[in-house]
Amino acid sequence: MPAAAMLTPEAWSGSLATVTATDTNVDPNVVEVTLRATPAEIEYLPGKRTTAWTYGGTVPGPTIRAKLGDRILVHFRNDLPEPTTIHWHGLRLPNAMDGAGPAATPIPPGGTFDYAFDALDAGTYWYHPHVASNEQVDRGLYGAIVIDDPAEPALPVVADEMVVLDDVMLDAATGVQTAMKDDERALMMGLEGNLALVNGRRSNVGVAVRAGEWRRLRLLSSANARYFKLSLAGGTMIQLATDGTLLEAPAPVSELLLVPGERADVVVRVDSASNTATLRAVPYARAVGSEPTTAIDLVRLVASAEPPVDVKMPAALRPHSPLSPSSKTRTIRLGERTDGARPVFLINDAAFPAVPTIDAKLGSVEEWAIQNESDMDHPFHLHGFFFQPVDTRVRKDTVNVPAKTTVRLLVDFHAHAGAAGSWMYHCHILEHAEGGMLAEVMVNE
Ligand code: C2O
Ligand code: CU
Ligand code: CU
């Protein structure tokens, strides 16, 4: 099952700029925005028009920016030809606002819905549909939501930008997006495209920089299935946050695996004058015996001849206490079987909606052993609550579970307003989620 050959971009130019949602509310503690899901024409390939599904006409959709504690109001209108929802990936919010699960009725074509929630956590999150997500996200429905914490240490960076990574499968001659639905690799591994996108543009962004200066990149993978194993050849990359939450201290990384749905905030720099650093996805094999993906150059930082500046990152970011011992231990087994030619993706040997719902208690911490019995990696994601991989001090909502490996998580069913209810957990390879690897946890008062 070879991966598709990639279309390669020609020139290195352009910026990382993304559209920011307009806050129409004068109250400094309320962010009120309008989002409209609508088909739009996007030029992914020069001179070629691709009909994408968008939030407000752009891919990615507008970045929503708020500060910790703000009230966020989103007036949503569905102008797609099919029902949809907006799910706020990684955010803790009331169950009825999650855009997923039994409490979220799909919004019909022409319908509207007002999302309202408080920004309880600072960091980099994102939004996307939770109806036929493999198709709707793939067509371009995704955007970022960034919550700033004014109390966080100020970082000595010259830029703070979203870098949303995705891939699409396009017909090179016409620009038409093709689905490859019956491709053998796509059925099993999820849909990978032949064009890598950075902020909705083909991956050829070249940014002019001065050597030594730091730029904060908020990396997010909205890809259905592609794994981006990132390296910065010719420069230095330091990780600050994972899935939004700041680490205890900046951590230099030579390679950083970003799986579908996951985020990583990093700072990057070119070390010496007149040099170029390339953010590159290096080959990664995400299934036993599968061919690794080909390397893709994503973003270039091109340093001027000016002498480098010397700027230090702070030594500490945000302290984290380990979660208290768990009250309950569970095993969640990820597996797969074939039904004729079609693979079916399983949790504890059953496919959604046949997976029994777990009952958990609000305020408890549970230990979940995510046991991957299959031959391929699965990115595990839980809605509405954070977890801490055992023996780490990080807080996450999406974590890779490599093939034939068990990852242990302490799940924090922390009480917040509206937290009681049924929440989803699933593989974030969207074909796997829609193909059965999805279930619910009922969190009771
Ligand atoms: Cu990114 Cu169930 O979601
Ligand atoms: Cu989610
Ligand atoms: Cu999966």
Side-chain angles (χ1 to χ4, degrees), residues 87 89-90 381 383:
H87 165 60
H89 180 124
H381 169 54
H383 288 206

Side-chain angles (χ1 to χ4, degrees), residues 167-386:
D167 60 347
V168 280
M169 177 61 76
L170 298 179
D171 181 316
T174 62
V176 169
Q177 188 170 355
T178 53
M180 286 188 69
K181 278 210 184 75
D182 298 315
D183 177 81
E184 198 193 331
R185 178 178 165 105
L187 279 176
M188 183 58 87
M189 306 278 287
L191 199 60
E192 289 171 339
N194 59 352
L195 182 70
L197 298 177
V198 176
N199 291 344
R201 296 183 280 270
R202 61 192 184 284
S203 52
N204 61 345
V205 178
V207 185
V209 305
R210 178 170 182 179
E213 68 184 17
W214 293 105
R215 312 179 84 80
R216 181 176 186 162
L217 305 182
R218 297 174 183 261
L219 302 162
L220 149 66
S221 171
S222 64
N224 278 34
R226 180 176 294 278
Y227 275 42
F228 290 95
K229 187 177 186 182
L230 302 168
S231 82
L232 186 73
T236 302
M237 176 158 66
I238 298 177
Q239 187 171 5
L240 303 179
T242 179
D243 288 348
T245 307
L246 284 178
L247 307 177
E248 296 204 297
V253 280
S254 58
E255 287 183 327
L256 176 67
L257 183 64
L258 196 71
V259 302
E262 202 178 20
R263 287 86 63 217
D265 289 24
V266 297
V267 285
V268 293
R269 70 162 191 218
V270 183
D271 298 325
S272 42
S274 305
N275 266 354
T276 294
T278 303
L279 183 70
R280 174 177 291 155
V282 300
Y284 183 78
R286 59 186 173 87
V288 174
S290 84
E291 238 178 80
T293 48
T294 41
I296 312 166
D297 288 356
L298 297 165
V299 175
R300 276 184 191 175
L301 305 176
V302 182
S304 66
E306 287 171 284
V309 287
D310 183 22
V311 184
K312 298 263 177 297
M313 277 295 132
L317 293 171
R318 174 173 165 176
H320 289 289
S321 25
L323 287 170
S324 50
S326 65
S327 57
K328 178 124 196 135
T329 303
R330 303 179 191 276
T331 301
I332 290 169
R333 290 177 297 109
L334 307 179
E336 145 231 326
R337 67 175 158 77
T338 42
D339 187 356
R342 299 230 148 213
V344 182
F345 297 93
L346 309 169
I347 292 178
N348 294 339
D349 303 317
F352 184 81
V355 189
T357 296
I358 289 173
D359 275 298
K361 189 138 187 46
L362 206 57
S364 71
V365 174
E366 297 195 353
E367 183 173 326
W368 288 14
I370 317 298
Q371 192 176 321
N372 183 353
E373 297 176 334
S374 76
D375 281 339
M376 70 181 100
D377 294 14
H378 296 287
F380 179 85
H381 169 54
L382 170 67
H383 288 206
F385 301 93
F386 292 104

Side-chain angles (χ1 to χ4, degrees), residues 87-90 98 100 126-130 133 260-261 381-383 397-398 424-428 430 433 438:
H87 165 60
W88 308 92
H89 180 124
D98 193 45
W126 67 299
Y127 59 92
H128 63 77
H130 226 285
S133 62
H381 169 54
L382 170 67
H383 288 206
D397 56 65
T398 307
M424 285 184 160
Y425 63 94
H426 59 88
C427 174
H428 220 286
L430 298 176
L438 182 146

Side-chain angles (χ1 to χ4, degrees), residues 56-110:
T58 63
V59 178
T63 300
I64 299 171
R65 284 201 92 115
K67 61 178 189 328
L68 196 59
D70 279 355
R71 182 80 179 152
I72 299 176
L73 305 172
V74 179
H75 305 293
F76 175 62
R77 180 183 166 86
N78 178 16
D79 283 327
L80 302 173
E82 56 180 67
T84 192
T85 59
I86 304 183
H87 165 60
W88 308 92
H89 180 124
L91 288 174
R92 294 190 297 163
L93 37 61
N95 185 257
M97 294 293 138
D98 193 45
T105 312
I107 301 144

